[in-house]
Coordinates of all heavy atoms in Angstrom, one line a residue:
I1 N 0.8 -1.2 0.0 CA 0.0 0.0 0.0 C 0.9 1.2 0.0 O 0.6 2.2 -0.7 CB -0.9 0.0 1.2 CG1 -1.9 -1.2 1.2 CG2 -1.7 1.3 1.3 CD1 -2.9 -1.2 0.1
R2 N 1.9 1.2 0.8 CA 2.9 2.4 0.8 C 3.5 2.6 -0.5 O 3.7 3.7 -1.0 CB 3.9 2.2 1.9 CG 4.9 3.3 2.1 CD 5.9 3.1 3.2 NE 5.2 3.2 4.5 CZ 4.9 2.2 5.3 NH1 5.3 1.0 4.9 NH2 4.3 2.4 6.5
R3 N 4.0 1.4 -1.2 CA 4.6 1.5 -2.5 C 3.7 2.1 -3.5 O 4.1 3.0 -4.3 CB 5.2 0.2 -2.9 CG 6.4 -0.3 -2.2 CD 7.1 -1.4 -2.9 NE 6.3 -2.6 -3.0 CZ 6.2 -3.5 -2.0 NH1 7.0 -3.4 -1.0 NH2 5.4 -4.6 -2.2
V4 N 2.5 1.6 -3.6 CA 1.5 2.1 -4.6 C 1.3 3.6 -4.3 O 1.2 4.4 -5.3 CB 0.2 1.3 -4.5 CG1 -0.8 2.0 -5.4 CG2 0.5 -0.1 -5.0
T5 N 1.1 4.0 -3.1 CA 0.9 5.4 -2.7 C 2.0 6.3 -3.1 O 1.8 7.3 -3.7 CB 0.6 5.6 -1.2 OG1 -0.5 4.7 -0.8 CG2 0.2 7.0 -0.9
D6 N 3.2 5.8 -2.8 CA 4.4 6.6 -3.2 C 4.6 6.7 -4.7 O 5.0 7.7 -5.3 CB 5.7 5.9 -2.6 CG 5.8 6.1 -1.1 OD1 5.1 6.9 -0.6 OD2 6.6 5.3 -0.5
R7 N 4.2 5.6 -5.4 CA 4.3 5.6 -6.9 C 3.3 6.6 -7.5 O 3.6 7.4 -8.4 CB 3.9 4.2 -7.4 CG 4.0 4.1 -8.9 CD 3.9 2.6 -9.3 NE 2.6 2.1 -9.2 CZ 2.2 0.8 -8.9 NH1 3.2 -0.1 -8.8 NH2 1.0 0.4 -8.9
I8 N 2.1 6.6 -6.9 CA 1.1 7.6 -7.4 C 1.6 9.1 -7.1 O 1.4 10.0 -7.9 CB -0.3 7.4 -6.7 CG1 -0.9 6.0 -7.1 CG2 -1.3 8.5 -6.9 CD1 -2.1 5.6 -6.3
R9 N 2.1 9.2 -5.9 CA 2.6 10.6 -5.5 C 3.7 11.1 -6.4 O 3.7 12.2 -6.8 CB 3.1 10.5 -4.0 CG 3.4 11.9 -3.4 CD 3.7 11.7 -1.9 NE 2.6 11.5 -1.1 CZ 2.4 10.4 -0.4 NH1 3.3 9.5 -0.3 NH2 1.3 10.3 0.4
E10 N 4.6 10.2 -6.8 CA 5.7 10.6 -7.6 C 5.2 10.8 -9.1 O 5.5 11.8 -9.7 CB 6.7 9.5 -7.7 CG 7.9 9.8 -8.6 CD 8.7 11.1 -8.2 OE1 8.7 11.4 -7.0 OE2 9.2 11.8 -9.1
R11 N 4.3 10.0 -9.5 CA 3.7 10.2 -10.9 C 2.9 11.5 -11.0 O 2.9 12.1 -12.0 CB 2.8 9.0 -11.2 CG 2.2 9.0 -12.6 CD 1.1 7.9 -12.7 NE 1.5 6.6 -12.3 CZ 0.8 5.7 -11.6 NH1 -0.3 6.1 -11.1 NH2 1.3 4.5 -11.4
S12 N 2.3 11.9 -9.9 CA 1.5 13.1 -9.8 C 2.2 14.3 -9.3 O 1.5 15.3 -9.1 CB 0.3 12.8 -8.9 OG -0.4 11.5 -9.2
R13 N 3.5 14.2 -9.2 CA 4.2 15.4 -8.5 C 3.8 16.7 -9.2 O 3.5 17.7 -8.5 CB 5.7 15.1 -8.6 CG 6.5 16.2 -7.9 CD 8.0 15.8 -7.9 NE 8.3 14.6 -7.3 CZ 8.4 14.4 -6.0 NH1 8.3 15.4 -5.2 NH2 8.7 13.2 -5.5
N14 N 4.0 16.8 -10.5 CA 3.8 18.1 -11.2 C 2.3 18.5 -11.2 O 2.0 19.6 -11.0 CB 4.4 18.0 -12.6 CG 5.9 17.9 -12.6 OD1 6.5 18.2 -11.6 ND2 6.4 17.4 -13.7
S15 N 1.5 17.6 -11.6 CA 0.0 17.9 -11.7 C -0.6 18.2 -10.3 O -1.4 19.2 -10.2 CB -0.7 16.7 -12.3 OG -0.6 15.5 -11.6
R16 N -0.1 17.5 -9.3 CA -0.7 17.8 -8.0 C -0.2 19.2 -7.5 O -0.9 19.9 -6.8 CB -0.3 16.7 -7.0 CG -0.7 16.8 -5.6 CD -2.2 16.8 -5.4 NE -2.6 16.8 -4.0 CZ -3.9 16.9 -3.5 NH1 -4.9 17.0 -4.4 NH2 -4.1 16.9 -2.3
A17 N 1.1 19.5 -7.7 CA 1.6 20.7 -7.3 C 0.9 21.9 -8.0 O 0.6 22.9 -7.4 CB 3.1 20.8 -7.6
A18 N 0.6 21.8 -9.3 CA -0.1 22.8 -10.0 C -1.5 23.0 -9.4 O -2.0 24.1 -9.3 CB -0.1 22.5 -11.5
Y19 N -2.1 21.9 -9.1 CA -3.5 21.9 -8.6 C -3.5 22.6 -7.2 O -4.3 23.5 -7.0 CB -4.0 20.5 -8.4 CG -5.3 20.4 -7.6 CD1 -6.5 20.7 -8.2 CD2 -5.3 19.9 -6.3 CE1 -7.7 20.6 -7.4 CE2 -6.4 19.8 -5.6 CZ -7.6 20.1 -6.1 OH -8.8 20.1 -5.4
L20 N -2.6 22.2 -6.3 CA -2.5 22.8 -5.0 C -2.2 24.3 -5.0 O -2.7 25.1 -4.2 CB -1.6 22.0 -4.1 CG -2.0 20.6 -3.7 CD1 -0.9 19.9 -2.9 CD2 -3.3 20.6 -2.9
A21 N -1.3 24.7 -6.0 CA -1.0 26.1 -6.1 C -2.2 26.9 -6.5 O -2.5 28.0 -6.0 CB 0.1 26.3 -7.2
K22 N -3.1 26.3 -7.4 CA -4.3 27.0 -7.8 C -5.2 27.1 -6.6 O -5.9 28.2 -6.4 CB -5.0 26.2 -8.9 CG -6.3 26.7 -9.4 CD -7.1 25.7 -10.3 CE -7.6 24.6 -9.4 NZ -8.6 23.7 -10.2
V23 N -5.3 26.1 -5.9 CA -6.2 26.1 -4.7 C -5.8 27.1 -3.7 O -6.6 27.9 -3.1 CB -6.3 24.7 -4.1 CG1 -7.0 24.7 -2.7 CG2 -7.1 23.7 -5.0
E24 N -4.5 27.1 -3.4 CA -3.9 28.1 -2.4 C -4.2 29.5 -2.8 O -4.4 30.4 -2.0 CB -2.5 27.8 -2.2 CG -2.2 26.5 -1.5 CD -2.9 26.4 -0.1 OE1 -3.0 27.4 0.6 OE2 -3.5 25.3 0.1
R25 N -4.1 29.8 -4.1 CA -4.4 31.2 -4.6 C -5.8 31.5 -4.3 O -6.1 32.7 -3.8 CB -4.1 31.3 -6.1 CG -2.6 31.3 -6.5 CD -2.4 31.8 -7.9 NE -3.0 30.9 -8.9 CZ -2.4 29.8 -9.4 NH1 -1.1 29.5 -9.0 NH2 -3.0 29.1 -10.3
A26 N -6.7 30.6 -4.5 CA -8.1 30.9 -4.2 C -8.4 31.0 -2.7 O -9.2 31.9 -2.3 CB -9.0 29.7 -4.7
I27 N -7.7 30.2 -1.9 CA -7.8 30.3 -0.4 C -7.3 31.7 0.1 O -7.9 32.3 0.9 CB -7.1 29.2 0.3 CG1 -7.8 27.9 0.0 CG2 -7.0 29.4 1.8 CD1 -7.1 26.6 0.5
E28 N -6.2 32.1 -0.5 CA -5.6 33.4 -0.1 C -6.5 34.6 -0.4 O -6.5 35.6 0.3 CB -4.3 33.6 -0.8 CG -3.2 32.7 -0.2 CD -1.9 32.8 -1.0 OE1 -1.9 33.6 -2.0 OE2 -1.0 32.0 -0.8
Q29 N -7.3 34.4 -1.4 CA -8.2 35.5 -1.8 C -9.4 35.7 -0.8 O -10.0 36.7 -0.7 CB -8.8 35.3 -3.2 CG -7.8 35.5 -4.3 CD -8.3 35.1 -5.7 OE1 -9.5 34.8 -5.8 NE2 -7.5 35.1 -6.7
G30 N -9.6 34.6 0.0 CA -10.7 34.7 1.0 C -12.0 34.5 0.4 O -12.2 34.3 -0.8
P31 N -13.1 34.5 1.2 CA -14.4 34.3 0.7 C -14.8 35.3 -0.4 O -14.5 36.5 -0.4 CB -15.3 34.6 2.0 CG -14.4 34.3 3.1 CD -13.0 34.7 2.7
G32 N -15.4 34.7 -1.4 CA -15.7 35.4 -2.7 C -16.6 36.7 -2.4 O -16.4 37.7 -3.1
R33 N -17.5 36.7 -1.4 CA -18.4 37.8 -1.2 C -17.6 39.1 -0.9 O -18.1 40.1 -1.1 CB -19.4 37.4 -0.1 CG -20.2 36.2 -0.4 CD -21.4 36.1 0.5 NE -21.2 36.1 1.9 CZ -20.8 35.0 2.6 NH1 -20.6 33.9 1.9 NH2 -20.6 35.1 3.9
A34 N -16.4 38.9 -0.3 CA -15.6 40.1 0.1 C -15.2 40.9 -1.1 O -14.8 42.1 -1.0 CB -14.4 39.7 0.9
H35 N -15.2 40.3 -2.3 CA -14.7 41.0 -3.5 C -15.8 41.4 -4.5 O -15.5 41.9 -5.6 CB -13.7 40.1 -4.2 CG -12.6 39.5 -3.3 ND1 -11.6 40.3 -2.8 CD2 -12.4 38.3 -2.8 CE1 -10.8 39.6 -2.1 NE2 -11.3 38.3 -2.0
M36 N -17.0 41.3 -4.0 CA -18.1 41.6 -4.9 C -18.6 43.0 -4.8 O -18.5 43.6 -3.7 CB -19.2 40.6 -4.7 CG -18.9 39.2 -5.2 SD -20.3 38.1 -5.0 CE -19.6 36.7 -5.9
T37 N -19.2 43.6 -5.8 CA -19.8 44.9 -5.7 C -21.2 44.8 -5.0 O -21.7 43.7 -4.9 CB -20.1 45.4 -7.1 OG1 -21.1 44.7 -7.8 CG2 -18.8 45.4 -8.0
C38 N -21.7 45.9 -4.6 CA -23.0 45.9 -4.0 C -24.1 45.3 -4.9 O -25.0 44.6 -4.5 CB -23.4 47.3 -3.5 SG -22.3 47.9 -2.2
G39 N -24.0 45.6 -6.2 CA -24.9 45.1 -7.2 C -24.8 43.6 -7.3 O -25.9 42.9 -7.3
N40 N -23.6 43.0 -7.3 CA -23.4 41.6 -7.3 C -24.2 40.9 -6.1 O -24.9 40.0 -6.2 CB -22.0 41.2 -7.2 CG -21.1 41.6 -8.4 OD1 -19.9 41.9 -8.2 ND2 -21.7 41.6 -9.6
L41 N -23.9 41.5 -4.9 CA -24.4 40.9 -3.7 C -26.0 41.0 -3.7 O -26.7 40.1 -3.2 CB -23.8 41.6 -2.5 CG -22.3 41.3 -2.3 CD1 -21.8 42.2 -1.2 CD2 -22.1 39.9 -2.0
A42 N -26.5 42.2 -4.1 CA -27.9 42.4 -4.1 C -28.6 41.3 -4.9 O -29.7 40.8 -4.5 CB -28.3 43.8 -4.6
H43 N -28.0 41.0 -6.1 CA -28.6 40.0 -6.9 C -28.6 38.6 -6.2 O -29.5 37.8 -6.3 CB -27.9 39.9 -8.3 CG -28.3 40.9 -9.3 ND1 -29.5 40.8 -9.9 CD2 -27.7 42.0 -9.8 CE1 -29.6 41.8 -10.8 NE2 -28.5 42.6 -10.7

């Protein structure tokens, strides 16, 4: 189980890193409502 997991982790190194970087950028921006206009929110 450890070997298969490590193999998947190594195979996915680049794609997983790119995915997590995208996610972290979204997390850093905070809740989406904080960046919306009053018109956006009213709708």
Side-chain angles (χ1 to χ4, degrees):
I1 298 295
R2 182 177 290 106
R3 284 196 297 272
V4 172
T5 307
D6 289 344
R7 182 171 75 205
I8 293 170
R9 187 174 287 119
E10 180 58 32
R11 184 192 303 137
S12 310
R13 182 180 300 278
N14 293 337
S15 55
R16 180 67 175 171
Y19 169 77
L20 290 175
K22 177 193 74 171
V23 167
E24 290 307 315
R25 287 194 296 271
I27 291 173
E28 288 172 5
Q29 291 175 4
R33 300 196 303 279
H35 308 289
M36 291 185 170
T37 68
C38 293
N40 295 147
L41 293 173
H43 277 289

